[in-house]
Amino acid sequence: MNLRRALHTGVAAACIAATAAPAGLSAQTAPAKAAPAKAASAPSANPLQVRVAQARGFSRIEFQWRGQARMTSRQAGQVLTLRFSRDAEPDMTRLRVSPPKWLKGAEARHVGGVLELDLILEEGAQARTGQADGVAFVNIFPPAEVAEAPAAPALGLPAPAPTAAAEPEPVRPNPVPADGVVRLDAKLQGSQVLLSFPWAAPAGAAVFRRGDAVWVVFDAPARLDVARAPRGLRQFGRMEAFRGPDYSAVRISSPVNTPVFVISEGATWTIALGPGAQAQPTPIRVRRDETGGPASLTAAVSGVTRIVRIPDPMVGDTLTVATALGPPKGLLSRREFVQMSLLPSVQGLAMESFAEDITLTRQGDLVAIGRPAGLALSSPSAIANRREVPSGAPQPAGRPALIDYDNWPKTGSGGFLARYNALVTAAADEGIEGAESKVAARMALARFLVGSDLAFEAIGVLNDVARQHPQLLNDAEFRGLRGISRVMARRYKEAAADFSSPVLADDSSAALWRAYLAAETAQWPEARREFAAGAAAYNQFPAVWRSRFARADAKAALALGDLDGANTRIRMALEEETDAVEQLQARLLQAQLSEKEGQTGRALRIYQAVATAPLDHIAAPALLAATRIRFEEGAITPIQAAAAYDSLRFRWRGDATELATIRALGRLYLTQGRYREALEALRSAGQRLPDLPEAIGLQADLSASFRALFLEGLADGLEPVQALALFFDFKDLTPLGVDGDMMVRRLVRRLVDVDLLNQAADLLAYQVDNRLDGVPRAQVATDLALIYLMDRRPEQALIAINGSRSTVLPTALNRDRRLIEARALSDLGRLDHALEVLARDDSAEARDLRAEIVWKQKDWPEAGKLFEASLGERWKSQEPLSIEDEGKLLRAGVAFSLAGDDEALARLETRYTPFLEKARNPEALRVALTGVATGRIGVGEFGRMTADNEAFAGWVGRMKEKFRQAAPAAAKTADAGAAPKQG
C-alpha cells in the first residue's frame, strides 16, 4: 500500500496532458537514475519520516509513519513533548542543525518501547498539534510581539527587490465605486449559479481553484458585499470576503467537481459555478526562460495588472496571485514543480510556493517566476531524452477483457521503479501532443498498472486518455481494461457500465466479469447466466481470477438453491493453485454449503478454523457465522452473542460483513426487548455502502423494527413517556401515508390517556409541520387543535385550525373543525364570534356548545332552556348520571335559579332528585336543584366554580374517548381503502 501511495504523483503526471515544461517530474526522476539501488530503498528502512516546511507566519513539522501511529502531546514551559504509539529512529538532522523559525532544537528518546520527541520552542512561541491526511503535524507560531511586527523584517524575508525593477503599473481609471463597496449580484440560470461583481471601471481579476475552494481576487481594495449570496445550493456553500491594501478577494467553498467559468463584460466580472455552455478561457502557456541566468519560468498573461499576496486562512500559508483584465485566460491544469505549484485557474495566475524566496514579477504581458539562486528545473537534454518510447511495452491480451499476469507486470532487470518511470515518461510525452496524439504509450502504462494491481492509478490514466480521445469509448480493449480496473477498485456500478458496452456484448471474457459483478450485487440469476456465457474464456484467465469467478458462481448457486452446482464450483476454486487467502475464501463458501445441507457441526468447525486466520476480512465473516450457529444451538446466551456481535462490528468495517453483523445484532436486541439499542444498532450503518444488497436488507430491518414497535404494539409495554422519547429519537423512520398516521394516533392516544397533553401536541405538531399535506394534514391539525383545547390553550388551537384550511375537506371533518373553532373562540371570550360560527350547525354537539356560550353570556333563561333541552329525556333512564350529564344538570339548575324560574327549577327537582344518591357530587346537585345556598358559597359563586369545572371535565372525558376510538376507526378505513373496489 505504501508503494501504491508513492506512485500517485507519477500517474497524475502522466494524466496531465498540459505538462509542457515537465520540470518537477524531471527533477525528481533524473536523480533516481544516477543514484544507486540502495538509495531507492533507503526511505523504507525507517518507518517514520520527518518533514519541515516554512510559511510566512508559522513553521510546520510533519511526521509521516509507514502504517498507523497515534500522537499525543504535552507542554511544560517552552518544551513541547510528543509521544507516539510506536518506536522508530527518525532523522532529526534538520531539526537539530537548522531548525525552522521559532524552534530552538529537538531531542529524541525511547521510553517504554515508544518514541518521544522534545521540541524546544523559542520564548513566547506557540505550538498547535493535529493530524490530517495521514500525517501528524506541529505548527509553531511566533510570539505575539513578533507577530505584530512588520511581516518582512520579522520573518527575515529578503526585501521584494523585484519591485524596484518591475514595470510600473499602467494608469487606469479607478475601478472602485464612489461608496467603496462592490455588491454581489447572484442569480440561478439552469444548473448554474451566476455571481456578478460590477465595478465602476474595468478591474483586473484572478479566478482559481485550491482544493474545495474557488478564489476570486481583484486588483482593487474595495469592500465586497456578499450578503446577497444565496444559501443551501449544491454548487457552493460558505462565502467569505477579504480585503488587503491592494486587493479584495472572495473565498467560495465549492465541491471539487463543480465546473467554474468566468465572464468579463465591460466593468463586470461574472463567475459561473456549475455545468454550462460558456467557453473555456484562453490557455496560459508556462515556459522555461531561455534568456540565460538562473533557471526561471515565464508565463504570457495578456493584460496582467498587479501581483498581490493573499493569506489563505484555511491552510495558513500565503498565495501569490497575478490579476489580469479580460477576456478570460487561465491555466487549465495544476502544474507541479519542486519549489512551487501553479494552481488551475480560469482567469489570471496563482502560485503556492514551498520556498521563501520565490517571486512573481510583471514585465509587460509576461509574468516571471524565479528565485535568486534559480528554480530547480530539469535540463533541456533530459526533456529531449524522453521522446523515445521504451521497447517491450505491455501488449494487448488475446481477448479484450483478459488480464495477462505473465507479461504485463514484468519489470526487467532495472526493477519496478525503472520500468514504471519509463512507461510514465512515455505516456506523459504522448499526452503533450494533444488530440492528435497516439494512445499506445498510455494504454501500455494502463496494462502495466492493471497487471501490478494498481487499479486506481489505471483508472486515472484511462479516464484521462478517454477525455482526450472520446472515440476510445467504442474500443473493446479500452472498455475491458477500464472495467477490470473498476472491478479491482470495487466500483461496481462504473464497471457494469463498461462491461455492458455493445462492443463487449458478445465477448466471453467480458461475460465472466459481468457474472462476477452480478454476484457481488446479489443478482443471482444473471450471475449464473453470464458465467455460462463466459465458459469459453474461463481457462484463459490467471488462476487467481479463475478462483474468484468460480466462487462468484458458487454464491449464486447457493442463493438459488442449486447445492450440486455450488459444490462443483467450490471444488473448481479449491483446485486452483492460488495463495492461502483465496483458499480460505473458498472454505468459507464450503462452510455455507455444509450449513445449507444441514451439516451444521461440520460448518461450525470450518467457520471456527477460518476465524483464526490473521486476516480480518476473512476471519470476520467466519466469526459472525460461527457465533450465529452457536447461539441458535444454545451454546451461548443471548448476552454472550450480543457481546460478540458488538465487538465484531467494530473489528471489521467497510463491506457486507459489517452490515450483516449489524443486522444480527439489531434482531437480537429486539428479541431481548432492548428496543432503543436495536434501533441504534440498525441505524448506525446509515447510508454507507448503499450498492450492497445487504444494505437494502438492513434498511428493511430498520423500518420493520420501527413498525413493529409503534404499529404492531411492541412498544405498548413501555411507559408512555419512554415510548414518546423512543419515537422522537427515531421519528425519521415514520412511514408516509396511513401507517405513519396510525403510529402517531396510537402514541397520541396513550399520551392523552395519562394527561401528557403537551407531549401529545408536540408529536402532532411535528406531523403537521414536516410530514403531511392536504386532507391528512388538516385531519391531524384538527386533532392537534382538540388537544390544545383540552390543555386550555385556545390561541394555539385557533392557529392550528387556521393554518390547515383547505377547500376540499370532507363534510364531517369541516363540522368537527367548526366546533373546535367555536369552542376556542368561546374560551377566548369572543362569544358573539363563536355563536356566529355555530349559526348553521344544528347537531347535538353544536347545541351543547351553544348552551355553554349562552351560559358565559349570562343569558340565564336561555341557558337554562338549552341545558335542559340537551338533557332531553335522560330522567326517564334509571342509569346513574355521567359526569357530562351532571355538569349539564348543574348548569341548568343554576341558570333557572339565577333567572328566577321557580317552575322550571321545580320540574328539574322532581325529575332528577332520584339520581342524587348515586351522583358523584350529590351536595352540589342538591343546591342547584333547590336553589338554596347552604354553606359558605352563594349561588352565583357556586355556579361559576362548580358548573364550569364539571362541564369542562365532562367534555375532556368525552374527547379522551374519541381519541381511544380513533385508532381502530383509522385501521378500518385503511383496510377498506386497501380492498379492491367491487362492481
Side-chain angles (χ1 to χ4, degrees):
M1 295 301 294
N2 293 298
L3 180 59
R4 296 185 187 186
R5 191 180 301 114
L7 298 180
H8 281 296
T9 303
V11 174
C15 297
I16 299 176
T19 314
L25 183 62
S26 295
Q28 294 174 356
T29 57
K33 298 179 180 179
K38 180 178 179 179
S41 62
S44 63
N46 197 323
L48 173 61
Q49 293 185 21
V50 181
R51 297 196 294 260
V52 180
Q54 183 68 60
R56 184 176 181 180
F58 69 98
S59 301
R60 185 180 179 94
I61 307 171
E62 292 186 349
F63 305 91
Q64 183 170 21
W65 288 85
R66 186 170 68 248
Q68 297 294 324
R70 185 166 43 86
M71 181 184 79
T72 57
S73 64
R74 65 179 186 275
Q75 186 170 354
Q78 295 306 114
V79 178
L80 176 67
T81 301
L82 307 177
R83 181 181 176 89
F84 298 91
S85 59
R86 296 171 55 188
D87 203 359
E89 290 287 346
D91 183 1
M92 304 285 290
T93 305
R94 175 75 170 85
L95 299 180
R96 290 171 178 160
V97 177
S98 180
K101 292 179 186 288
W102 309 297
L103 179 71
K104 290 184 178 180
E107 296 293 336
R109 60 178 178 270
H110 307 279
V111 180
V114 298
L115 174 66
E116 285 191 357
L117 300 179
D118 285 341
L119 302 182
I120 305 171
L121 310 179
E122 286 188 1
E123 188 67 26
Q126 302 294 321
R128 296 178 185 173
T129 63
Q131 291 189 336
D133 298 327
V135 299
F137 65 86
V138 179
N139 290 342
I140 305 175
F141 298 88
E145 60 271 20
V146 177
E148 294 171 0
L155 296 175
L157 293 177
T163 305
E167 181 176 316
E169 296 182 9
V171 178
R172 294 184 290 117
N174 184 8
V176 179
D179 61 355
V181 180
V182 176
R183 293 173 175 82
L184 169 69
D185 181 25
K187 65 179 180 179
L188 285 172
Q189 182 173 301
S191 60
Q192 284 188 322
V193 179
L194 301 181
L195 308 174
S196 297
F197 296 89
W199 293 81
V207 181
F208 57 91
R209 176 177 284 282
R210 191 185 199 192
D212 60 353
V214 174
W215 283 84
V216 183
V217 181
F218 300 106
D219 64 355
R223 183 170 71 85
L224 302 181
D225 183 359
V226 296
R228 299 182 185 176
R231 303 179 185 276
L233 301 179
R234 58 182 174 82
Q235 290 90 344
F236 74 94
R238 185 178 179 187
M239 184 181 297
E240 299 175 90
F242 306 91
R243 180 168 61 168
D246 56 352
Y247 71 88
S248 51
V250 175
R251 184 184 184 277
I252 305 170
S253 297
S254 177
V256 175
N257 59 353
T258 302
V260 182
F261 302 92
V262 65
I263 306 153
S264 173
E265 296 177 338
T268 300
W269 284 99
T270 300
I271 290 79
L273 300 175
Q278 292 87 351
Q280 291 291 334
T282 303
I284 293 177
R285 305 289 183 182
V286 181
R287 296 184 174 88
R288 186 189 190 96
D289 189 356
E290 304 290 352
T291 59
S296 62
L297 299 171
T298 59
V301 184
S302 301
V304 61
T305 60
R306 182 169 292 174
I307 308 296
V308 297
R309 291 172 60 84
I310 301 175
D312 188 335
M314 300 301 293
V315 180
D317 62 354
T318 300
L319 302 175
T320 306
V321 179
T323 59
L325 299 172
K329 73 277 299 176
L331 194 65
L332 301 184
S333 60
R334 183 183 177 97
R335 298 288 298 276
E336 294 280 359
F337 298 88
V338 175
Q339 294 144 326
M340 57 89 185
S341 291
L342 298 177
L343 302 174
S345 66
V346 291
Q347 166 65 11
L349 202 63
M351 178 187 75
E352 58 180 18
S353 61
F354 312 137
E356 297 179 4
D357 54 353
I358 294 183
T359 59
L360 251 67
T361 56
R362 181 176 57 82
Q363 301 170 359
D365 281 348
L366 293 180
V367 174
I369 308 169
R371 61 191 296 256
L375 296 174
L377 302 177
S378 56
S379 65
S381 60
I383 298 174
N385 291 337
R386 292 192 195 167
R387 293 296 178 186
E388 183 181 354
V389 178
S391 59
Q395 299 299 312
R399 293 179 182 269
L402 285 179
I403 301 179
D404 188 355
Y405 276 156
D406 292 333
N407 298 302
W408 287 357
K410 283 184 177 179
T411 60
S413 58
F416 178 88
L417 286 178
R419 174 70 159 175
Y420 172 78
N421 287 335
L423 292 171
V424 168
T425 301
D429 289 343
E430 184 182 75
I432 291 174
E433 299 174 9
E436 302 301 323
S437 65
K438 298 180 180 180
V439 299
R442 283 171 284 179
M443 291 295 288
L445 174 60
R447 295 184 199 107
F448 175 75
L449 294 171
V450 171
S452 302
D453 289 336
L454 296 171
F456 291 98
E457 289 80 358
I459 292 171
V461 172
L462 292 167
N463 284 344
D464 182 73
V465 72
R467 282 191 292 268
Q468 200 172 64
H469 299 277
Q471 65 272 18
L472 277 178
L473 296 175
N474 296 321
D475 180 78
E477 192 208 0
F478 173 85
R479 285 288 197 176
L481 205 56
R482 191 170 69 170
I484 294 170
S485 305
R486 287 171 165 175
V487 169
M488 290 179 170
R490 299 179 65 84
R491 296 181 178 180
Y492 295 143
K493 281 188 176 180
E494 297 176 13
D498 278 323
F499 286 119
S500 61
S501 173
V503 296
L504 293 176
D506 299 324
D507 183 73
S508 55
S509 61
L512 287 175
W513 290 106
R514 289 194 291 268
Y516 183 83
L517 288 170
E520 290 298 315
T521 54
Q523 301 176 41
W524 309 121
E526 183 178 350
R528 302 230 66 191
R529 183 170 58 253
E530 292 290 353
F531 186 86
Y538 178 80
N539 289 323
Q540 295 177 324
F541 278 90
V544 61
W545 278 105
R546 289 200 301 269
S547 175
R548 292 171 184 173
F549 291 149
R551 293 202 310 270
D553 195 47
K555 285 199 295 185
L558 278 173
L560 296 175
D562 183 5
L563 303 186
D564 291 337
N567 186 38
T568 301
R569 297 294 180 259
I570 292 170
R571 283 191 285 104
M572 289 171 60
L574 291 172
E575 289 170 359
E576 299 293 345
E577 295 182 1
T578 55
D579 58 21
V581 175
E582 302 294 331
Q583 293 288 317
L584 285 173
Q585 290 179 332
R587 293 296 180 187
L588 269 178
L589 281 175
Q590 192 177 48
Q592 294 176 22
L593 175 62
S594 298
E595 196 175 354
K596 290 274 189 181
E597 293 173 338
Q599 303 178 41
T600 54
R602 181 171 184 264
L604 179 59
R605 289 191 296 272
I606 298 177
Y607 285 137
Q608 289 175 328
V610 175
T612 61
L615 302 170
D616 280 345
H617 71 282
I618 296 176
L623 181 58
L624 172 63
T627 303
R628 175 178 50 78
I629 292 176
R630 295 180 65 206
F631 173 63
E632 291 173 353
E633 294 182 345
I636 57 176
T637 65
I639 295 177
Q640 291 172 320
Y645 291 146
D646 196 43
S647 172
L648 184 58
R649 68 169 168 154
F650 294 109
R651 172 181 171 182
W652 180 253
R653 311 192 73 171
D655 63 7
T657 301
E658 177 193 357
L659 302 184
T661 303
I662 292 174
R663 290 186 71 185
L665 181 62
R667 290 172 176 174
L668 183 57
Y669 280 155
L670 278 177
T671 61
Q672 293 182 286
R674 299 162 66 176
Y675 304 135
R676 176 175 292 278
E677 293 169 274
L679 293 178
E680 287 175 346
L682 292 172
R683 195 168 65 175
S684 65
Q687 296 297 323
R688 298 175 58 243
L689 310 171
D691 295 337
L692 295 180
E694 289 80 1
I696 300 174
L698 189 145
Q699 292 300 320
D701 283 357
L702 184 57
S703 299
S705 300
F706 194 77
R707 285 173 178 271
L709 285 167
F710 295 103
L711 196 59
E712 299 171 11
L714 200 59
D716 288 352
L718 298 175
E719 292 294 329
V721 175
Q722 293 177 320
L724 178 68
L726 188 63
F727 182 88
F728 265 117
D729 287 345
F730 297 91
K731 60 189 175 185
D732 54 297
L733 300 176
T734 307
L736 296 175
V738 176
D739 286 348
D741 188 41
M742 275 293 298
M743 287 183 184
V744 174
R745 285 177 178 272
R746 289 175 60 94
L747 191 54
V748 166
R749 174 185 59 79
R750 296 190 63 197
L751 295 172
V752 169
D753 280 346
V754 293
D755 291 328
L756 294 174
L757 301 178
N758 193 37
Q759 290 80 356
D762 290 343
L763 186 58
L764 292 179
Y766 177 82
Q767 296 290 104
V768 171
D769 295 339
N770 299 282
R771 293 179 52 82
L772 300 175
D773 205 356
V775 175
R777 182 171 182 268
Q779 175 65 66
V780 176
T782 304
D783 293 343
L784 174 61
L786 193 57
I787 290 177
Y788 281 143
L789 286 179
M790 296 168 65
D791 200 23
R792 297 184 184 273
R793 296 159 66 183
E795 301 94 337
Q796 294 300 111
L798 276 180
I799 292 173
I801 291 294
N802 293 333
S804 58
R805 295 191 185 278
S806 175
T807 59
V808 293
L809 299 183
T811 303
L813 180 58
N814 270 327
R815 184 193 62 202
D816 292 342
R817 291 166 63 86
R818 279 197 306 270
L819 291 172
I820 292 173
E821 182 180 3
R823 186 173 289 277
L825 291 170
S826 172
D827 290 349
L828 290 172
R830 299 165 60 183
L831 304 179
D832 291 337
H833 290 162
L835 288 174
E836 186 176 352
V837 170
L838 295 175
R840 296 178 179 273
D841 193 342
D842 197 37
S843 64
E845 294 87 348
R847 290 195 297 269
D848 290 346
L849 181 55
R850 193 178 290 111
E852 293 181 26
I853 296 171
V854 172
W855 168 272
K856 289 182 178 181
Q857 288 180 322
K858 299 182 180 180
D859 185 353
W860 307 124
E862 184 64 21
K865 292 177 183 179
L866 289 174
F867 280 121
E868 184 179 13
S870 178
L871 286 171
E873 297 184 346
R874 179 65 180 83
W875 55 278
K876 294 182 178 180
S877 173
Q878 302 301 316
E879 296 294 327
L881 295 175
S882 66
I883 187 172
E884 185 179 4
D885 290 341
E886 285 189 15
K888 293 177 181 179
L889 182 58
L890 281 169
R891 289 195 176 195
V894 171
F896 285 140
S897 177
L898 293 174
D901 190 345
D902 295 334
E903 181 181 352
L905 197 59
R907 184 173 62 250
L908 285 180
E909 181 181 3
T910 302
R911 291 178 175 179
Y912 289 99
T913 297
F915 293 92
L916 297 184
E917 294 182 1
K918 297 182 178 180
R920 293 172 178 79
N921 196 346
E923 293 301 322
L925 286 174
R926 183 171 291 106
V927 171
L929 296 178
T930 61
V932 179
T934 61
R936 292 175 295 176
I937 62 173
V939 174
E941 186 180 359
F942 170 83
R944 289 190 296 274
M945 295 178 58
T946 304
D948 284 345
N949 293 335
E950 292 291 343
F952 183 78
W955 177 80
V956 169
R958 191 169 73 250
M959 293 303 103
K960 286 185 177 181
E961 184 61 29
K962 179 178 179 180
F963 274 104
R964 292 189 191 98
Q965 297 173 357
K972 292 179 182 178
T973 303
D975 293 341
K981 294 183 179 180
Q982 301 295 327

